[in-house]
């Protein structure tokens, strides 16, 4: 979309935050939380698996806010992906229709030329 693209992810996000989170979603990566910048998702998963509690996961209220923001971005990205899929499906349907019309016209033309040739 043009103009104010930050609104596409819903309210309560800082300027540019929606786009930043969406970049992770599009690459299928875990969205980094507070104190996790500089580590990649695999490292964080290893730390958490071995018993570390990352500071971004400790505060219940911060966690709730983060989950809400992530879900906002996820749903916006899902809607975008669905829109793309439906667009592609419609284009495929139109292409199939056009091909049907083309073959029909060819057949009619061939019939006409074979009748005129006799």
């Amino acid at each position: 979309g043009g103009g104010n693209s930050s609104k596409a992810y819903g309210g309560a996000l800082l300027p540019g935050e929606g786009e930043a989170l969406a970049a992770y979603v599009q690459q299928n990566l875990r969205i980094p939380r507070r104190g996790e910048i500089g580590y990649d998702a695999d490292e964080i998963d290893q730390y958490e698996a071995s018993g570390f509690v990352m500071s971004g996961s400790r505060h219940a209220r911060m966690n709730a806010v983060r989950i809400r923001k992530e879900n906002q971005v996820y749903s916006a990205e899902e809607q975008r992906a669905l829109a793309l899929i439906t667009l592609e499906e419609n284009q495929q349907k139109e292409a199939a229709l056009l091909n049907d019309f083309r073959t029909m016209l060819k057949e009619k033309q061939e019939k006409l030329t074979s009748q005129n040739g006799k």
Side-chain angles (χ1 to χ4, degrees), residues 5 9 14 16 18 25 30 32 35 47-48 60 62 68 77-78 87 93 96 101 109 111:
S5 61
Y9 298 109
L14 299 172
V25 176
R30 177 183 191 269
Y47 292 143
E48 288 184 334
M62 285 294 292
R68 195 188 69 237
E77 285 300 316
E78 281 167 11
L87 184 81
K93 282 180 191 170
F101 278 126
Q109 274 184 328
K111 275 185 186 175

Side-chain angles (χ1 to χ4, degrees), residues 70-90:
E70 284 179 8
N71 287 338
Q72 264 175 237
V73 173
Y74 280 128
S75 55
E77 285 300 316
E78 281 167 11
Q79 285 172 345
R80 225 172 253 132
L82 281 173
L84 274 175
I85 290 170
T86 51
L87 184 81
E88 285 172 6
E89 282 175 352
N90 288 341

Side-chain angles (χ1 to χ4, degrees), residues 4-13 19 72 76 80:
N4 192 359
S5 61
S6 60
K7 262 306 186 212
Y9 298 109
L13 292 174
E19 288 86 349
Q72 264 175 237
R80 225 172 253 132

Side-chain angles (χ1 to χ4, degrees), residues 30 33 36 39 43-58:
R30 177 183 191 269
R33 290 152 206 175
E36 295 178 0
Y39 297 103
E43 287 177 311
I44 294 164
D45 289 337
Q46 285 173 358
Y47 292 143
E48 288 184 334
S50 62
F52 285 97
V53 177
M54 304 302 278
S55 63
S57 313
R58 200 182 329 151

